Amino acid sequence: MDKQATHSSERGIRIEGLKKRYGQGDTAVDALKDVNMVVAPGEVVGLIGPSGSGKSTLLKCLGAVIEPTAGRMTLGQDVIYDHGWKIPDLRALRRDKIGFVFQAPYLIPFLDVTDNVALLPMLAGVPNGESRKRALALLKALDVEHRAKAMPSQLSGGEQQRVSIARGLVNRPPVILADEPTAPLDSERALAVIRILNQMARQFDTAIIVVTHDEKIIPTFKRIYHIRDGVTHEEAGEGRGID
């Protein structure tokens, strides 16, 4: 096995034959029928599809928010689901292994920027000093260190989204799930967010899935998964505009 293949097996995402059925009998709805995806460490992959195609359901399954019906999901070397959860503490899984970036930043309004980012590692048992050190390092990398003591209401939309990305990365998860992270942003800021996600993926060896309808950023992905009627189809992307 070559070096890259060995490296990729250590982290990243693998989804095999994933299914999700809601309900039973004649009223059953198959939201996911056959989902297969591989995202390597350091890679940002786009996930696109029409409304009702299964994107949100897939993200909730991968984020351990809802339980699939069948299939297999692997995070790094850990099989987290194989026709049943294989991880006893799903809350710890979400906290330690998965970072979330949403369309809205969802920053805590009464905490300053540093505390918003440092809170998650503190909840995971990381000492306060180390948590704040991690937070400040990420804020510096994302060019918002100068806003470290600001309150969320004092930030621009782009700054809030950068803080949200820092929060998603602060526990150094092997996986980040980004759900429409650029929808509220103009073209310049949307491309800046995607550029940051690519930089962070490479720097922290993180596998990132970006769910999007945003035509501004779709040409930036090197690989894209289309999901239609609960089935995934992979294709090469243009891979431009991210460096």
Side-chain angles (χ1 to χ4, degrees):
M1 185 179 292
D2 63 27
K3 181 178 179 181
Q4 182 176 358
T6 302
H7 178 67
S8 295
S9 70
E10 295 174 357
R11 293 168 68 89
I13 304 165
R14 182 176 293 273
I15 305 171
E16 302 167 86
L18 200 70
K19 305 178 190 300
K20 175 60 182 178
R21 171 173 288 185
Y22 292 105
Q24 296 179 341
D26 294 339
T27 62
V29 175
D30 290 315
L32 301 178
K33 298 176 182 177
D34 186 21
V35 172
N36 298 277
M37 295 180 69
V38 176
V39 185
E43 184 179 26
V44 179
V45 167
L47 176 64
I48 64 177
S51 297
S53 60
K55 298 188 306 297
S56 295
T57 297
L58 174 55
L59 221 61
K60 289 175 182 177
C61 288
L62 189 55
V65 176
I66 61 174
E67 183 171 358
T69 304
R72 181 181 173 96
M73 297 190 297
T74 305
L75 235 69
Q77 294 181 330
D78 298 323
V79 177
I80 66 168
Y81 182 88
D82 191 354
H83 299 275
W85 293 115
K86 301 301 179 184
I87 302 293
D89 189 343
L90 295 180
R91 181 180 295 181
L93 172 71
R94 289 189 293 267
R95 183 189 65 213
D96 300 334
K97 299 282 189 177
I98 305 168
F100 297 92
V101 179
F102 302 104
Q103 177 175 337
Y106 295 119
L107 301 178
I108 299 172
F110 53 83
L111 296 180
D112 68 21
V113 164
T114 303
D115 286 340
N116 259 281
V117 178
L119 179 62
L120 202 57
M122 281 191 236
L123 292 175
V126 177
N128 179 67
E130 173 61 22
S131 295
R132 294 179 66 83
K133 182 179 178 181
R134 283 191 197 180
L136 289 169
L138 281 167
L139 293 173
K140 182 176 182 179
L142 290 162
D143 197 27
V144 280
E145 185 185 25
H146 63 292
R147 307 294 270 156
K149 295 187 180 298
M151 304 302 287
S153 62
Q154 298 173 305
L155 305 180
S156 69
E159 288 171 338
Q160 288 185 25
Q161 198 67 316
R162 292 185 196 186
V163 174
S164 175
I165 292 169
R167 183 182 56 194
L169 284 164
V170 71
N171 269 352
R172 300 166 185 169
V175 169
I176 286 183
L177 306 176
D179 189 7
E180 299 284 1
T182 64
L185 305 178
D186 59 30
S187 295
E188 183 177 353
R189 288 176 177 172
L191 290 173
V193 165
I194 293 301
R195 190 174 298 113
I196 288 165
L197 287 176
N198 276 273
Q199 290 169 351
M200 296 296 102
R202 292 191 294 266
Q203 182 175 345
F204 295 100
D205 220 18
T206 304
I208 301 178
I209 295 177
V210 178
V211 173
T212 188
H213 286 99
D214 192 345
E215 296 290 340
K216 301 187 295 292
I217 67 169
I218 289 174
T220 69
F221 299 112
K222 294 181 180 179
R223 285 200 307 127
I224 293 172
Y225 283 93
H226 287 268
I227 184 166
R228 303 185 188 95
D229 299 321
V231 180
T232 47
H233 308 271
E234 181 186 355
E235 68 177 45
E238 297 179 37
R240 58 182 172 83
I242 58 173
D243 295 322

